[in-house]
Amino acid sequence: AKKLGAEERERMLTLVKVAEKNDPRMIRYKDEVFQQKEAGKNARAAALKAEQDKKDTEAKVRAEKAEVKRKVEEVQRLEDKKRKEEIKNALKVARQRLRSLHKAAENSVRHAVHVDQLQGVCLRLDTNELNEFCKVLEGEFEKASNDFTSIIELLHGEIEKCGATPIADPSVDPNGKGSDGTSTASGESEDEAASESDLSPSKVARELTPEELEQQRLQKISEEVEEKARQERRAEEQRKKKEIQRKAEAEREAARRKQEKKESESAKKDVQKAQKQEEQKTKQAEEQRQKSLKQSEEQRAASLAEESERKRLHEEQLLARAFESDRLQRLAVAESYEEGLLEVAFKSTLLQEGSETPNLPLTFALRQIAAGLPPPAVNKADAADQARRDVEEFVVDLALGCLSAEGGAGAAPEDAR
């Protein structure tokens, strides 16, 4: 029974193995598992590559920024160096200019001004001061014919400013000049080298016995067999390694293509996003410009309206003050008149200016005004009050007429007052 059970169990295991090996569902399941594992490996490899690319990109950006900064600093350094060289050359030219004036001067000037003290003047003055001093000296040289006292005094003055006492140069006289010389020295040295030779010992050989020869032959065959086995194992290892490398290369290529596709899509999205942002910025800038124009127009219109209103109020105030002053003057004149003179003044007012012709529009207007007035006073005091009120109303009517003539149609009596 045990033997039959073991055989049956072996048979079932064999059937399961055969089924797993040949069943399409098992094959498909194994393929799916394999594909999932490969997809996981590819995803991890892609993530690692993306992370590495990100690090490389950041490192590249940092390197580019550092390079740009270095170039900017280098340009700034070169500009500073160039500027310093220009300043230095300008100072050198100015000093050489002063030395040339001294060198080209007459022997009397060169004898009176020592060249070493002139060097002190060159070291004390800056470029602008040297150029100004050289201009003064050149002017003095042009003016001087045989008398160089002023030039010597100028040079002695600058030497005294250096804190030194001017001395004469004994090496300069009308018949001779100074000279100098130079000397050089050189040396040589040589090195020597030596070589040695070595002797190698000789080798001694002896004859081998037949047993030793057979043993050597067998050992040689054994070594050849072992070498052949090693070569086969090495070849198999190389083949497996190449297969692994080929699969890894295929996986990297697939991941690279996928990453390139992803980067291409990301770049397209970035370009589209940048274009959209640029369009939005342009639109916002245009809206802001239109808004600014509108605000400026509104501000300009408001300022014009405010200026116009202020001007109108100012003119109205001027007219009001003028008419108020005129009214007070006329009332003062009317109060000073006697009744007869006042009547004559009223009658002359009803005439046109410069003639005896009645002013019909004014007469008609006054009659219309008089129609609405109260009856005349019975005594002298009431008559005076009535006359004063009449004069005041008459002046107000004249003010209203003037306002209407000046474009102030619809003005109220309060405005005329």
Side-chain angles (χ1 to χ4, degrees):
K2 292 182 180 180
K3 186 177 180 180
L4 291 175
E7 291 176 355
E8 185 64 19
R9 188 165 50 254
E10 185 70 22
R11 188 176 68 83
M12 293 299 294
L13 290 174
T14 304
L15 288 174
V16 170
K17 290 180 180 179
V18 172
E20 288 182 352
K21 186 177 180 181
N22 298 308
D23 191 356
R25 294 171 297 178
M26 294 301 297
I27 295 172
R28 186 168 59 252
Y29 173 76
K30 289 181 179 180
D31 290 339
E32 290 176 356
V33 172
F34 179 77
Q35 292 295 333
Q36 290 178 359
K37 289 182 179 180
E38 291 296 319
K41 289 169 62 178
N42 294 334
R44 289 191 295 272
L48 291 174
K49 187 175 184 302
E51 184 69 21
Q52 186 64 33
D53 291 342
K54 183 179 179 181
K55 291 181 180 179
D56 293 342
T57 304
E58 292 176 353
K60 185 177 180 181
V61 170
R62 287 195 298 270
E64 290 177 353
K65 289 182 179 179
E67 182 66 18
V68 170
K69 184 178 179 181
R70 187 190 65 78
K71 288 183 179 179
V72 171
E73 292 176 352
E74 182 68 17
V75 171
Q76 185 67 29
R77 186 183 65 79
L78 291 176
E79 290 179 355
D80 294 340
K81 184 178 179 181
K82 183 179 179 181
R83 186 164 55 252
K84 290 179 181 178
E85 288 293 334
E86 290 176 353
I87 295 172
K88 183 178 178 181
N89 292 333
L91 181 60
K92 184 177 179 180
V93 170
R95 289 174 177 174
Q96 186 62 34
R97 182 180 177 185
L98 181 59
R99 295 192 193 99
S100 299
L101 289 174
H102 179 265
K103 185 177 180 180
E106 295 293 331
N107 287 343
S108 59
V109 177
R110 293 167 55 203
H111 176 75
V113 179
H114 201 285
V115 67
D116 293 337
Q117 293 184 335
L118 184 68
Q119 179 65 19
V121 174
C122 292
L123 295 176
R124 187 183 69 84
L125 299 178
D126 59 13
T127 305
N128 295 329
E129 293 173 346
L130 283 170
N131 288 327
E132 292 296 329
F133 185 58
C134 289
K135 287 182 181 179
V136 174
L137 286 180
E138 288 172 355
E140 292 295 329
F141 274 116
E142 290 178 358
K143 294 177 184 179
S145 58
N146 294 322
D147 187 10
F148 301 98
T149 306
S150 60
I151 298 172
I152 295 172
E153 289 178 354
L154 287 172
L155 291 170
H156 283 176
E158 292 297 329
I159 292 171
E160 290 174 353
K161 288 180 182 179
C162 295
T165 302
I167 60 175
D169 191 354
S171 63
V172 179
D173 61 291
N175 298 321
K177 296 181 180 180
S179 61
D180 54 6
T182 57
S183 63
T184 59
S186 61
E188 297 180 353
S189 63
E190 296 180 353
D191 297 331
E192 297 180 354
S195 60
E196 298 180 354
S197 59
D198 297 329
L199 297 176
S200 59
S202 60
K203 297 182 179 179
V204 180
R206 65 180 181 84
E207 292 187 13
L208 299 176
T209 63
E211 290 80 6
E212 291 177 345
L213 293 174
E214 182 66 18
Q215 187 178 359
Q216 286 183 357
R217 186 180 68 80
L218 294 175
Q219 185 177 0
K220 187 176 180 181
I221 293 172
S222 177
E223 291 177 355
E224 289 177 354
V225 171
E226 290 178 357
E227 181 66 23
K228 187 175 181 181
R230 282 196 301 269
Q231 290 178 357
E232 290 178 355
R233 286 195 302 270
R234 193 179 296 113
E236 183 66 19
E237 290 176 357
Q238 291 291 335
R239 186 183 64 80
K240 290 181 180 180
K241 188 181 292 186
K242 288 181 180 179
E243 184 68 19
I244 293 172
Q245 291 178 354
R246 185 183 63 79
K247 289 182 180 181
E249 185 66 26
E251 292 175 358
R252 287 195 295 271
E253 183 67 19
R256 185 183 64 80
R257 291 179 181 177
K258 186 177 180 180
Q259 184 67 22
E260 287 179 354
K261 184 177 179 181
K262 185 177 179 180
E263 290 177 355
S264 176
E265 292 177 355
S266 177
K268 289 181 181 179
K269 289 181 180 179
D270 291 340
V271 171
Q272 292 176 358
K273 185 177 180 180
Q275 291 177 354
K276 188 177 291 184
Q277 290 178 354
E278 187 68 24
E279 291 176 357
Q280 289 179 356
K281 287 182 181 178
T282 305
K283 186 177 179 181
Q284 290 177 358
E286 183 64 22
E287 291 177 355
Q288 186 67 24
R289 189 180 67 83
Q290 294 293 337
K291 186 177 180 180
S292 300
L293 289 176
K294 186 177 179 181
Q295 288 179 354
S296 62
E297 288 292 332
E298 291 177 353
Q299 291 176 359
R300 189 174 67 83
S303 62
L304 290 175
E306 184 179 356
E307 181 67 20
S308 177
E309 182 67 17
R310 187 184 62 78
K311 187 176 180 181
R312 186 184 67 79
L313 292 175
H314 181 65
E315 291 177 352
E316 289 180 357
Q317 290 176 1
L318 292 177
L319 288 172
R321 286 198 295 270
F323 283 119
E324 184 178 1
S325 176
D326 184 68
R327 185 187 66 178
L328 293 175
Q329 291 177 1
R330 288 179 181 273
L331 284 174
V333 172
E335 288 178 355
S336 65
Y337 283 171
E338 296 180 358
E339 292 184 1
L341 294 175
L342 188 60
E343 184 178 359
V344 172
F346 283 156
K347 287 182 180 181
S348 63
T349 305
L350 296 175
L351 299 178
Q352 292 184 1
E353 186 178 358
S355 66
E356 297 294 330
T357 306
N359 193 344
L360 296 179
L362 181 59
T363 304
F364 180 73
L366 292 175
R367 285 179 180 176
Q368 287 182 341
I369 293 171
L373 295 176
V378 294
N379 53 32
K380 189 173 181 180
D382 293 341
D385 292 339
Q386 184 65 33
R388 188 178 295 108
R389 286 194 299 270
D390 291 343
V391 170
E392 184 176 353
E393 291 179 359
F394 174 68
V395 172
V396 171
D397 292 337
L398 287 176
L400 285 172
C402 291
L403 286 176
S404 300
E406 292 295 331
E414 289 78 7
D415 298 331
R417 289 181 187 279

